[in-house]
Every structure is written in C-alpha cells, then in structure tokens.
Amino acid sequence: MKRCPECRRDYYDETLLYCLDDGTALLEGPSSGAGDLRTAILSGDDFPDEAKTQPLVSSTGGSSRSETTTGRIPAAHRSKTWIGVIVAIVIAVAAGLGFVIYKYRGTTGTAPLSIKLEKVTTQGKTSAAAISPDGKYAVYNVDDGGAQSLWTKQIATASNVQIIPPAQGVEYSSIRFSPDGNFVTFRRRDPATNFFAVFQTPALGGAQKKIAHDVDSAVTYSPDGKSIAYLRGNAPEMGESVLLIANTDGTGERILAKRRRPETFPWWSAGGAVAWSPSGRTIAAVIGGSASGSGLMQVVEVDVNDGSLRQITAEGWYEISHLSWLPDESGLLVMGAEKASDFYTQQIALISYPSGDRRRITADFNNYRAMNLTSDGKILAAVQRTRLSNIWIAPNADASRAFQVKAGGTNQEGTDGLSWAPDGRIVFYSKASGNDDIWIMNGDGSNVKQLTVDAGTNYGLKVTPDGKYIIFTSERAGQPNIWRIDMDGGNPKQLTFGTSEYGITATP
C-alpha cells in the first residue's frame, strides 16, 4: 500500500508513483497514527481543515471503544447512531473535528474556485466555530471531557481569550457574530433540558443574555442588524415547522412561513439552514420531502413580506445542513450531502443565483460541518471532521488481545460495512478506489480484492450465513436499493425497487 503524504489518500496499486489528486510523490505504507486533525481558516486561495480527535480503538493509547456499522441511516432517521459492540472483528476509528478558515477568490462565473486553507486551532476539541465579519476574530467551542467553553481568538496575533468558562454537560453550537462584530450569538443546551436556547454575549466576554427559546437552527441576521430569523420544529403543532422572525433582543417573534410534513423545514439538521439575503428581501431556507415522497431537500427563498416560497436549487440534496449567501447575492454556499452515500463526507458547493446551478468547492473524504462567511465574502470559516479507520481482530472478543490486520487511513474502511464470511475471510466497505465499494481479504489481511468495480455507490453490506452471497445497499440504479452479488463479486442482482432502502439483514 502507498499513501500520499499531503492528502493522505491510500493506494493499493503498487505501480503508482504519484497521487492522482495532487501529484505528490507517494510513500510506502500508511502511518499508524491518527493524523493531525484541527481547526483552520480558509482564505482567498484555499479552504479550511480542522478536527477533534476521539479515538475509538487505537494502538496509540487514549480512550477506546469497539464499533461496527451497518450502513448509512436514512434521512427520515436523523439520530446518526453507531451500533457499538465488541465482536471478533472491529474497526479502529480515529475521528477528528476541527475549525478551519478558507480564503478564496473568483466566486462567480464558471472558472474553478481558487481556495487556500489556514488552520486556526490545533487542540482538536472544536466542533462549532464562527469568524467575525471583518475576518479578524474567530469564536469557537472547546470540549474537555464533556465540559465545554467558548473562546475568542485574534487571528493575526494568534492570541486567545476564554469568554465563557467550561461547564459540564453544557453544549454550544451554531455560533454567529452580529453584523457589527461586537456580539456573538450561539445556541446553548443545558443538561436539564432537551431544548436549545439562543444566547448573546460580547465578543470579548461578558454577561450572557437569553434572546430566544426552543430554537432548532443557527440564527441569521438581517443586513441592517435589527432582526434575526431561525427555525423551530414541531411547532406550533407536532409535525409542523416554522421559520420565525424576531427583533435582535428576541422580542416581537412572529411566524413568517409554516410547513407540515412531508414538506417541512428540516429542523433536525440543527445547523445553519437559514440565511438572510444581502438585499434583505428574502431568506434562504431548506425544505425537505415532497409530495412524491422522494425525501430530497431543496433550497428555497422565502419572501420577507408575505412568506411565499420560490425554489432555488435545480437538483435535490440528500442532506443540507448550512447555507451562506455570497455578499453580491450571486449565489449561496451550501454544505451537505448531494446523495445518500455522501452522508458522512458532506462537502461545500456553490449554488448560482438565481439559476440554481451547482458547482463543488470541496471534494475530499472529510466531513464538513458549520460554516459562515466574512462580510466581504473572501474568507469562509468551517469545521472539518476527519476519520482514519483501521480493521482489527480481537480473539475470543477480548479487546486486550486485539491486533490490526488492515490499515485504512482516510479510506473509511469498514465504517460503512464489515462482515465475516464463513470461510474466515473479511468483507468490508472502503473508499480506496475513490468510490464507495465492497472489498474482500483473507483473515490475516492478505489477498485484498475489490469486488464492486465501476458499479456506482455500494455500502451497508452483510455476508449471508451460508457464505454464498454478499447483500448490500447500492445506488447504481439511481436510488438506494438492496442488491446481491456472489462472493467473488459476480452475478449482481437487484432485490428491491423502492426509493430509499437500507439496513439489510438475512435470516439464518
């Protein structure tokens, strides 16, 4: 195996000398470490990178937990829960969250964006962050063993000040600066409640002021800084969701638009899926589901005067978690998953306005969360999640005797499907080919072979108990369906023909 020292992509083709992504000379074998996951800032020529490391099963020490996964969780079930068990075969996953800033130029037209990444934090404990309108300050959370705090960093001098001390069980998310840069708005959830409330505090520290309760998105400010907008789910009635407008102090709250399932505002995304336009006339929002039951999400603009909706996106998305307008209103940055197979590797795209044409900005194996722009649109702050996975065997389910049989690096190996075959071989999911595919190897890690080749997106696999077939979810027909192949990858057969099918298992 060879690895690119820059992008850390792994290659099984020993004849390759250079990375197919960036042209860097390849090195032999992957690193055994979890890598450097951190927060960064994206600038006019690049985009960000950052991460929070939480080893699950690792040979390098730290906390450990055995995990297996059975595939992506459909849009209708947003818990995104991993099934954690100690079994004879496990995946060692080092997961990282980090804050980054990208500086870029050329946001309009058809030419590719030129972007540059700057890392802002390196402690690996950040999951929510924002950049000030002038690009001089960043605010981010730090999680130390479940005790979260908020910090402000002056980017030019790299100096930090804690603006909210750590508190056990308190959760901060959806951080935003006020348009004048003087205040920071964020959602806070305390241990005693399941609801997030919106608070505001001075950017350099001071008293916290509660301005709204039960808020299910980041707030977005009107251009004049006098109003805010946000989402609330299951309101006023269960199954309904509303887009609300209020004064910046929380008074005068009113409903601008209301939706009922299945065509709802997807409030469970809990990100920043509302964005007030620079002109102030509309608010970009996300609607989910449709009368046909496709479950895809679309970006719409809501008229501030009458609450009417107009669709912006030309294509549906599996998941949209964040929106941000470009300052000249020529488009929106959209963070999310274009299809179900992108759920754990959500990326950033540019949606032209008003045409709705889509163009990717990031294209890697990382998972982006939380983003916002400076007022001039030249710097984008984001949080990046990186997962490095390896496959281990634990004899007699004894984790203390576990040994590694496969080093997957950033290829996500086993994270979306891992199964013993009755003959002792291991079938696993991997992105080593650059796509979502199914692979097989001997129990000692030798004789690695790709089973699905040029066959779309494949994941969520299981080996049938008789050892004859591999059953799995595939999107090769255009939507997630259940398929079957022989153990050598031959004779593919589609078994289901619905619109969104996952979580397969087989009777004994």
Side-chain angles (χ1 to χ4, degrees):
M1 181 191 302
K2 294 183 178 181
R3 168 172 290 181
C4 173
E6 290 296 322
C7 69
R8 294 185 296 180
R9 179 177 174 182
D10 294 328
Y11 294 90
Y12 290 96
D13 186 350
E14 296 296 331
T15 65
L16 287 176
L17 299 178
Y18 300 97
C19 179
L20 300 178
D21 292 330
D22 55 33
T24 304
L26 299 178
L27 301 179
E28 291 293 336
S31 167
S32 61
D36 189 12
L37 304 178
R38 50 197 173 279
T39 300
I41 295 182
L42 302 185
S43 85
D45 296 320
D46 295 323
F47 258 128
D49 177 40
E50 176 56 0
K52 166 185 175 183
T53 305
Q54 294 178 328
L56 304 180
V57 179
S58 173
S59 61
T60 58
S63 61
S64 65
R65 184 177 70 203
S66 299
E67 289 197 338
T68 62
T69 58
T70 58
R72 292 172 176 80
I73 298 173
H77 305 89
R78 298 293 175 177
S79 63
K80 309 183 186 82
T81 305
W82 291 73
I83 302 174
V85 295
I86 297 180
V87 293
I89 180 172
V90 297
I91 317 161
V93 182
L97 289 174
F99 175 41
V100 294
I101 298 176
Y102 291 101
K103 299 176 184 175
Y104 63 99
R105 58 176 177 266
T107 56
T108 59
T110 58
L113 294 180
S114 177
I115 60 177
K116 182 177 183 179
L117 168 67
E118 296 179 21
K119 296 168 183 175
V120 176
T121 66
T122 56
Q123 26 72 348
K125 300 177 181 179
T126 293
S127 59
I131 191 168
S132 62
D134 60 9
K136 294 181 179 180
Y137 294 90
V139 170
Y140 55 93
N141 70 339
V142 173
D143 190 325
D144 275 317
Q148 289 197 15
S149 56
L150 283 186
W151 294 72
T152 295
K153 181 169 187 172
Q154 188 177 37
I155 295 170
T157 64
S159 58
N160 298 281
V161 59
Q162 186 180 93
I163 60 173
I164 298 180
Q168 193 69 36
V170 174
E171 182 180 351
Y172 297 104
S173 66
S174 306
I175 302 171
R176 292 290 186 271
F177 276 86
S178 60
D180 60 13
N182 293 327
F183 294 92
V184 175
T185 303
F186 54 89
R187 293 196 307 148
R188 190 184 85 186
R189 179 165 61 186
D190 297 322
T193 179
N194 291 324
F195 297 98
F196 278 98
V198 172
F199 286 79
Q200 190 179 77
T201 190
L204 295 179
Q208 299 181 49
K209 178 184 177 182
K210 183 178 179 179
I211 59 176
H213 73 283
D214 188 12
V215 175
D216 293 310
S217 73
V219 302
T220 180
Y221 282 87
S222 61
D224 60 11
K226 295 180 180 180
S227 302
I228 55 175
Y230 45 88
L231 298 178
R232 181 174 296 148
N234 282 331
E237 304 292 338
M238 291 295 293
E240 295 182 334
S241 55
V242 290
L243 172 59
L244 299 156
I245 289 181
N247 300 323
T248 52
D249 62 0
T251 61
E253 182 183 88
R254 66 181 176 89
I255 295 175
L256 176 62
K258 181 168 66 175
R259 307 280 290 178
R260 173 173 286 277
R261 289 185 183 275
E263 297 186 358
T264 185
F265 294 114
W267 51 270
W268 54 82
S269 294
V274 287
W276 213 307
S277 67
S279 67
R281 293 189 294 267
T282 63
I283 297 172
V286 178
I287 58 172
S290 68
S292 64
S294 69
L296 296 179
M297 297 184 184
Q298 301 280 356
V299 180
V300 299
E301 57 179 343
V302 184
D303 190 285
V304 172
N305 292 320
D306 59 17
S308 60
L309 276 64
R310 187 191 77 85
Q311 185 171 312
I312 296 177
T313 44
E315 304 169 87
W317 290 57
Y318 179 78
E319 172 94 352
I320 299 176
S321 57
H322 295 274
L323 299 172
S324 187
W325 281 98
L326 299 182
D328 62 0
E329 212 162 312
S330 62
L332 294 113
L333 294 178
V334 178
M335 179 182 291
E338 296 178 18
K339 55 185 184 297
S341 54
D342 299 329
F343 186 78
Y344 293 120
T345 54
Q346 296 189 29
Q347 302 290 304
I348 302 171
L350 173 64
I351 303 297
S352 297
Y353 179 82
S355 69
D357 295 334
R358 181 167 64 195
R359 180 157 51 114
R360 289 286 289 271
I361 290 179
T362 60
D364 52 50
F365 290 170
N366 297 303
N367 188 25
Y368 288 91
R369 312 165 47 147
M371 68 173 182
N372 53 96
L373 280 167
T374 53
S375 58
D376 61 7
K378 293 182 178 179
I379 300 178
L380 168 69
V383 173
Q384 186 188 72
R385 183 177 191 266
T386 301
R387 294 192 301 174
L388 306 182
S389 62
N390 303 293
I391 298 176
W392 293 59
I393 289 178
N396 297 321
D398 182 356
S400 67
R401 299 168 56 198
F403 58 92
Q404 183 175 315
V405 295
K406 186 76 171 61
T410 58
N411 291 333
Q412 318 274 341
E413 295 190 345
T415 60
D416 233 341
L418 182 66
S419 183
W420 280 115
D423 61 7
R425 290 184 294 173
I426 299 170
V427 181
F428 61 99
Y429 159 91
S430 176
K431 294 179 75 77
S433 66
N435 298 310
D436 301 67
D437 282 307
I438 297 173
W439 297 63
I440 193 169
M441 64 181 175
N442 293 335
D444 60 1
S446 63
N447 196 25
V448 179
K449 179 184 177 183
Q450 183 178 348
L451 297 180
T452 55
V453 181
D454 299 325
T457 298
N458 310 280
Y459 51 91
L461 62 95
K462 290 285 188 356
V463 175
T464 57
D466 59 9
K468 293 177 62 177
Y469 305 110
I470 301 168
I471 49 179
F472 56 98
T473 294
S474 179
E475 297 176 21
R476 65 186 72 187
Q479 63 278 320
N481 299 121
I482 305 303
W483 285 68
R484 184 188 79 188
I485 54 175
D486 295 342
M487 290 299 294
D488 63 359
N491 299 318
K493 181 178 181 180
Q494 186 173 354
L495 301 181
T496 66
F497 299 86
T499 59
S500 188
E501 294 152 343
Y502 307 81
I504 189 170
T505 190
T507 61

